[in-house]
Amino acid sequence: RDERYYILNNMGTVIDDILPLTGKLSITCVKASDIPKKQLMGKQDPYCILEFGGQKKKTKVKKDGDRNPEWNETLDFDLKDCDDRRIQIKIMNKMFGLDAECAMVKVPIYTLLGGESETWIPLYKESSHENECGKILFKTTFEGVGGLPPAPASSRYGIVSALYGTAKASTDVRGLLEMKVAGGSLKFESNRDLSSFFGFDPLNNHITGKALNMTYMKDGGWNFHTWSPT
């Protein structure tokens, strides 16, 4: 494990606890559901664009995919010391002339790298992530190094599960919390934004609804707690 995981600053938080990504990132755009209608007549022909690490990839156009397109197409990213923490996802409708944007979202790449075989991500009408408009399903694999600290097989502090994010977009941060526990306790300042504590936002520019949901063992029993400082 990289020694930088253990370097503490004066406030007791970890410096450089999220490392650059180096390796092959493969993201399968499986399908989308209930995306907005962007043309008046006929069925839409949607395609998906992914932007990450200075690279821009897109799927083939799904003719007549309309509001529930299925692509099942894998897009590969070759990464070298990539410090980018967010991936931008857009669904476009192929049209004569200028293509129309149906929906978008910008989330931490770690949300897709959380270990689940498939991940549904909510979609929005705008970059402020205020108006939800459907969702998209991904399968993701990463062969390489970097990212969040891995969750240990056995927690030193009894942490069973830890998800940081919103109700519909969250990231497994067990390994990160293991590095942030100081003196056997985990404390948050009441007015501190959780995104500044973890080093990333669950939804870019999303102000409210962020929370850490954690299950842990204490005094021989299961405990559940939610932190949502504002």
Side-chain angles (χ1 to χ4, degrees):
R1 193 178 283 178
D2 194 295
E3 288 299 319
R4 284 182 290 172
Y5 285 145
Y6 299 91
I7 300 174
L8 300 178
N9 65 18
N10 292 331
M11 297 184 67
T13 55
V14 181
I15 299 172
D16 288 338
D17 44 9
I18 302 177
L19 301 180
L21 294 170
T22 296
K24 182 180 180 181
L25 174 66
S26 298
I27 302 175
T28 301
C29 303
V30 182
K31 60 183 177 180
S33 175
D34 296 324
I35 64 174
K37 190 84 168 179
K38 289 295 182 176
Q39 63 185 54
L40 297 177
M41 299 179 65
K43 293 184 176 181
Q44 298 186 132
D45 301 325
Y47 62 97
C48 186
I49 298 176
L50 305 182
E51 293 186 53
F52 180 70
Q55 303 175 52
K56 185 175 182 178
K57 311 277 184 173
K58 64 180 181 179
T59 66
K60 296 181 176 64
V61 173
K62 181 62 177 182
K63 185 170 178 57
D64 294 335
D66 206 33
R67 299 190 61 205
N68 300 286
E70 295 188 18
W71 299 285
N72 287 305
E73 184 174 346
T74 301
L75 304 177
D76 294 326
F77 295 80
D78 292 318
L79 307 175
K80 176 67 174 177
D81 293 328
C82 177
D83 286 316
D84 201 348
R85 295 186 178 183
R86 292 178 292 273
I87 182 170
Q88 180 170 278
I89 301 156
K90 288 185 179 181
I91 296 182
M92 307 292 293
N93 180 36
K94 185 68 176 177
M95 303 180 72
F96 293 107
L98 186 64
D99 294 349
E101 181 178 312
C102 299
M104 64 83 61
V105 68
K106 198 169 187 178
V107 295
I109 189 62
Y110 320 115
T111 301
L112 300 184
L113 296 175
E116 297 293 334
S117 59
E118 295 184 335
T119 307
W120 281 102
I121 300 294
L123 294 166
Y124 295 84
K125 293 182 179 180
E126 66 290 293
S127 59
S128 59
H129 297 93
E130 295 178 0
N131 297 293
E132 192 174 339
C133 59
K135 57 185 179 179
I136 185 168
L137 180 64
F138 293 106
K139 293 180 181 178
T140 309
T141 61
F142 177 63
E143 299 176 359
V145 296
L148 297 179
S154 178
S155 171
R156 294 175 294 171
Y157 307 106
I159 300 173
V160 178
S161 66
L163 293 175
Y164 163 58
T166 66
K168 295 186 178 180
S170 60
T171 300
D172 186 339
V173 291
R174 285 174 298 162
L176 198 55
L177 284 182
E178 289 282 332
M179 302 304 129
K180 289 183 177 290
V181 172
S185 64
L186 185 66
K187 297 180 180 180
F188 298 101
E189 299 171 27
S190 60
N191 61 346
R192 186 178 184 183
D193 191 328
L194 280 174
S195 60
S196 67
F197 180 85
F198 286 107
F200 59 90
D201 230 353
L203 286 172
N204 200 44
N205 297 323
H206 202 274
I207 305 300
T208 61
K210 292 176 284 191
L212 168 65
N213 296 296
M214 190 167 80
T215 303
Y216 57 97
M217 297 291 295
K218 184 177 180 181
D219 299 327
W222 292 76
N223 294 267
F224 179 80
H225 197 86
T226 297
W227 285 272
S228 55
T230 56

